[in-house]
Amino acid sequence: MNPFGTPANLAAFPVMFPAIVALICLLAPRPSVWRRVLALAACAGLLAHACWIVSHVMNDSPLVLRLGGWIAPYGIVLVADTLAGIMLALSSFTAITCVLFGFAETPTKDEHPLRLPLFLFLLAGINLTFVTGDLFNLFVAFEVMLLSSYGLMTLEAGARESRQALSYLTLNLVGSALFLAVCGFTYSLLGTLNFAEMIVRTDVLAGDYRLTLLAVLMLLVFGLKAGLFPLYQWLPGSYSVMPAPIAAFYAGMLTKVGVYILIRIFGTVLPPSMTELHTLIAWTAGLTMVIGVLGAVGQMRVQTILSYHIVSQIGFMALAIGLFTPFAITAAIFYIIHHIIVKAALFLVGGSITKLNGTDDLSRTGGLWRAAPWLGIAFVLQAMSLAGLPPLSGFWGKFMIIQEGFTQGEWVLVAMSLVASILTLMSMLKIWLGAFWKAAPEGTPVATNGRTRAMTTVIVAMACVSLVIGFGAEKFLRIAKHAADETLDRAGYVADVRAANEILYPSKTPGATQP
Amino acid sequence: MTNQLEAAVLVAVLFSCGLYLCFSRRMLRMLFGFLMISNAANLVLIAISGDPTGKRAATVGADAPAGVLPVDPLPQALILTAIVIGFAVAAYLTVLIYRLYTDRGTANVSTLFEDKARGGAAAKEDAL
């Protein structure tokens, strides 16, 4: 007998497990080795579970769990489908690497006692946004995630850096209040907050101006979370002041939560006939790409340059959502898979540069190609992948998005994305020349030791995973295509959620069903 | 959803005042602005449950008078959650503003982003 009752109960695992482990970590307030092992084991468990979800839903229907046993449109449901499974796998993989990097960077006794618990709460919040099937529950998940992220951001910030949290906080506070109001408007317009029931009722309302207004508000709220133009200003300043492992996790996951929600809301929940909004998303995305990449040009700090590139890359993903065909959504999902790992790895490279040279200001770094060749190799692979050179993982995502752009005749958007790619390549070259190729300036330390070598190992492992995605693109594309088809199959989503109502007393009397 | 004009006006006033305060340079005003915005959002939620005139509470149960409709209880459940979350965030914002004051010696955004700190821990670091 399955100890979890039905497999559907496993949909709650990615939320409950990190929260419980975080509480256990809080019970042991001092940082210790066993606490580190526990946190790492928790992330590994989450990764294994997410991989199981993906392999399960590739062959079977999604897991739908009715929390508290309430009948579907009235209670909260958790839905773990392929897209959610992919995102869960990515969040737990990034968490593992960032936690490992943090262990390599800081000795156990110097670790901040609240870093691991907050990190695990953040992970629980992020995972809840992926599996939830209810708009208000999504709001709660966002708040769990944001509160942990506020805490983590200022936890280890020095007296000079703490001010960067203010803009992040104010924008997100206004965004949250707006999201709450959007929940209210949705309930008054549709009479439900359940995604599946919203699908049914928005179909009836398709074309109504009130629905369009609601969708614009949702685009505003989630575009802010994702960092879309013109709502991206909070991102570069706040991401570049955090400790490297935390910044890498934020860079990899937090904005992608916004992108995921955009796919979920516009792909699944809202009717596909809102073409004018999709055009709006596409053009916003085009501007985001170009403006983000231009912002990076004048910067000299590695982490700041990389932060601006997050904005630019978000544009690529949003462009794919805006083109809105099954092929484009497949491209967006594949791009997310590639991007999260590459971006997190690049931020970790930035952290290693800071550790080796004592700074990540490119005018005062150098000599790392000689001192840490493996770090250089990993950086080149990830940077070229970010710029989109074949046969690395970034190439396939960009290729598909641009191909779809050509098919739809969006020449200007295609040109914008090509310009953004070339400028990305130039930024990466700037980091390469500044930190790796040129000799170290007078007085700059180039110190390698056991810790920096361990940090490099983590980054090289991430580069290897990225290479596997690039060379085994076919397999990952198959999963992404399945996820995209499932996301766009709105009737299927409704049927899956309603089917969960059939099971009343699952583990005890398997024959008992409700008519 | 009829006769809710006063709620709509109140929400609009609260939201615009809150937004105005949020864009202020003084951090204390930002805090008050955020409190007003979050309460405006809460008001939106409570207004969603409709005009309560002539309706009974949703929790009366078996003693309910026959033929009297209850108000929609779901927005009340939502608003409870939202109030708790808003309280936590407001507490965090208060602590952050206090911390910024001790770090930089200012509670004004226009002087917060000066290169040289006015006072506080950052100024002590500079002096070293």
Side-chain angles (χ1 to χ4, degrees), chain B:
Chain B
M1 212 98 341
T2 49
N3 296 332
Q4 296 265 60
L5 186 65
E6 71 281 5
V9 171
L10 190 55
V11 166
V13 169
L14 272 181
F15 203 87
S16 41
C17 290
L19 212 55
Y20 171 76
L21 286 176
C22 264
F23 286 132
S24 159
R25 285 166 187 278
R26 285 158 64 182
M27 289 185 208
L28 199 61
R29 287 192 177 191
M30 285 165 71
L31 174 64
F32 291 147
F34 163 67
L35 290 175
M36 287 177 91
I37 287 182
S38 69
N39 277 317
N42 289 345
L43 264 177
V44 170
L45 284 187
I46 204 74
I48 295 307
S49 65
D51 187 354
T53 324
K55 291 182 183 170
R56 63 176 174 84
T59 47
V60 179
D63 304 331
V68 182
L69 284 175
V71 290
D72 186 352
L74 190 96
Q76 302 179 5
L78 300 187
I79 200 174
L80 274 177
T81 318
I83 288 173
V84 173
I85 291 175
F87 175 73
V89 176
Y92 178 83
L93 183 59
T94 317
V95 172
L96 179 72
I97 290 174
Y98 179 67
R99 158 128 198 232
L100 290 179
Y101 179 70
T102 53
D103 277 353
R104 317 273 316 176
T106 174
N108 192 315
V109 177
S110 54
T111 47
L112 183 70
F113 286 91
E114 283 171 356
D115 286 337
K116 201 167 160 350
R118 291 275 166 125
K124 277 186 198 141
E125 266 182 36
D126 284 339
L128 286 178

Side-chain angles (χ1 to χ4, degrees), chain A residues 356-357 366-376 435-436 440 445-449 452-453 456:
Chain A
L356 286 163
N357 276 161
L368 293 183
W369 177 236
R370 197 174 291 271
W374 281 103
L375 186 65
F436 289 94
V446 187
T448 56
N449 53 35
T452 57
R453 276 191 287 277
T456 307

Side-chain angles (χ1 to χ4, degrees), chain A residues 305-328:
Chain A
I305 294 177
L306 291 174
S307 301
Y308 274 104
H309 281 290
I310 301 177
V311 178
S312 159
Q313 309 288 322
I314 290 291
F316 273 95
M317 292 170 231
L319 173 61
I321 300 172
L323 293 174
F324 208 79
T325 56
F327 187 74

Side-chain angles (χ1 to χ4, degrees), chain A residues 391-393 396 466-476:
Chain A
L392 299 164
S393 56
W396 304 107
S466 239
L467 277 181
V468 168
I469 295 175
F471 285 109
E474 196 196 337
K475 180 153 183 58
F476 288 92

